[in-house]
Amino acid sequence: MATSLQSRVEAAAAQLIFGLPAPVRRLIAGRAIRLDGQELALDAQLLLRLQQISRVSMAAGTPEIARQRILDSGHLVSGTPIEPVHTREVVIPAEHGPLPATLYVPEGIPSPSPLLVFFHGGGWVVGSRASHDNAARYFAKQAGVRVLSVEYRLAPENPFPAAPEDAVTAFDYAHAKATDLDVDPDRIAVGGDSAGGNLAAVTAQVTTARGGAAPVFQLLLYPSVDASRRRRSREVFGRGFFLTDADMTWFADHYAPAGVDRTDPRLSPLLTEDFTGLPPAYVATAGFDPLRDEGEEYAAKLRAANVPVTLSRQRDLIHGYMNFLGVGKRFREAASEAAGALRLGLRA
């Protein structure tokens, strides 16, 4: 995707700032933030400071404006495209019409390979394959897997349950067309960040409950798993840490407007009655994230059902860290752990 001269200049400026000596970065970021027994990473605090200066918000105005804002600001933090990773466009047949997707293939990968069916974050309203391009590239290269990144339908044009329907359709397509995708059908995972983590969890539940083909691993990064009630982490971290309480309300109201039952497990997978038999999972949360507590409750319910699960709280990070690969090594450290978990979860 081509970027303007202004975008390239802004990205270079961000790189310059994050490359400054730690004392200078601390001066720009301000005094260390300590909250709830945790200290925010300098990289995360500096990013928040730059966000305040640029006045970039996750959700503001109309969905169209918010989508463009997220896409425009992504170049500042996502980094240059990770190579060598080859891509090709894929069209997934669906009842409502073709569902676009991109297949990422790291150079030198054996055939057939494991596959991650990846769902981007963005509150089911914003975000796209383009906004999460480098995240998909990162998992492809670092985990040594093919990645199928899915352009599921967004709200409010297509409210709940359009997104989970698309997610299940995408998994079923990947399994049915494994030979065409050069994929091992017995080593397909689902994963995503935030709203994408929600869709991955729902896909694992729906496919497991019906019997037959189901994912063998779940990669759930700071997932949203319960839209029915508020938790302490939302009260503590709901302002000033990238994803805000106002953002969450804005997203939920567009995705699940009045009349939608927010206890429906396809919207709130934490509330499903039976976790038995779900695939092993890596659940990552961020310490300074309003979604932290519900993600950790989800891991606890998996564990109570004897599902193998690794819960990893990135205590010093904020929501969205998988998209900040271009700035600050702390974000890449957390991403590296997730990639390692995916590689381990899909090993033969």
Side-chain angles (χ1 to χ4, degrees):
M1 181 176 60
T3 57
S4 67
L5 175 60
Q6 179 182 346
S7 295
R8 293 194 296 271
V9 170
E10 290 173 346
Q15 289 291 328
L16 178 63
I17 291 172
F18 275 88
L20 292 170
V24 180
R25 284 184 284 129
R26 171 55 67 194
L27 186 63
I28 297 172
R31 182 178 298 180
I33 295 175
R34 298 181 179 86
L35 190 60
D36 202 33
Q38 306 168 135
E39 181 174 327
L40 188 62
L42 175 56
D43 284 342
Q45 191 173 338
L46 183 58
L47 182 63
L48 292 174
R49 178 61 178 149
L50 295 179
Q51 181 195 24
Q52 291 170 354
I53 294 171
S54 64
R55 299 179 182 271
V56 173
S57 174
M58 278 278 285
T62 65
E64 293 80 9
I65 292 173
R67 289 166 191 162
Q68 191 60 49
R69 183 180 292 112
I70 294 297
L71 195 58
D72 290 344
S73 63
H75 69 275
L76 295 173
V77 293
S78 61
T80 57
I82 294 168
E83 299 288 1
V85 178
H86 306 286
T87 63
R88 71 176 172 94
E89 296 305 292
V90 174
V91 177
I92 300 171
E95 289 187 8
H96 60 82
L99 188 63
T102 301
L103 182 67
Y104 294 81
V105 183
E107 191 168 275
I109 192 172
S111 299
S113 74
L115 175 73
L116 170 67
V117 181
F118 181 77
F119 309 111
H120 66 78
W124 310 278
V125 177
V126 302
S128 62
R129 289 175 294 160
S131 68
H132 285 63
D133 176 70
N134 239 16
R137 288 174 178 272
Y138 185 90
F139 283 127
K141 184 174 181 180
Q142 298 301 323
V145 301
R146 284 174 168 79
V147 175
L148 186 67
S149 183
V150 181
E151 198 81 72
Y152 58 87
R153 288 172 291 169
L154 297 178
E157 298 88 344
N158 298 282
F160 172 84
E165 289 174 353
D166 286 354
V168 173
T169 296
F171 170 79
D172 287 342
Y173 172 86
H175 189 272
K177 299 295 185 179
T179 300
D180 295 343
L181 298 173
D182 219 357
V183 163
D184 181 348
D186 296 324
R187 289 191 290 165
I188 300 178
V190 289
D193 64 315
S194 193
N198 167 282
L199 296 177
V202 170
T203 299
Q205 289 187 4
V206 169
T207 55
T208 298
R210 74 183 182 189
V216 298
F217 188 73
Q218 308 175 69
L219 183 75
L220 310 180
L221 306 179
Y222 36 90
S224 171
V225 289
D226 186 3
S228 70
R229 72 178 183 88
R230 304 171 68 91
R231 287 171 173 76
R232 178 176 173 274
S233 59
R234 182 164 175 174
E235 305 301 333
V236 175
F237 305 110
R239 293 186 64 185
F241 297 102
F242 187 65
L243 177 65
T244 68
D245 177 61
D247 290 337
M248 293 175 67
T249 298
W250 189 87
F251 286 134
D253 288 348
H254 280 94
Y255 180 54
V260 171
D261 178 9
R262 293 191 177 182
T263 67
D264 188 321
R266 294 172 300 164
L267 175 60
S268 300
L270 180 64
L271 305 184
T272 197
E273 293 184 0
D274 189 4
F275 279 66
T276 304
L278 288 172
Y282 171 84
V283 181
T285 61
F288 289 77
D289 184 354
L291 292 175
R292 183 192 70 188
D293 290 356
E294 61 192 77
E296 294 181 1
E297 284 183 39
Y298 196 80
K301 289 194 73 170
L302 288 169
R303 187 173 293 114
N306 295 316
V307 175
V309 58
T310 296
L311 170 63
S312 178
R313 180 194 290 190
Q314 303 294 320
R315 298 176 59 85
D316 56 347
L317 292 185
I318 57 176
H319 186 87
Y321 63 76
M322 194 64 219
N323 283 90
F324 309 148
L325 299 174
V327 290
K329 68 176 183 178
R330 182 64 191 94
F331 303 122
R332 291 191 294 274
E333 289 171 352
S336 177
E337 179 184 290
L342 177 61
R343 179 187 288 272
L344 185 63
L346 287 176
R347 67 182 180 182

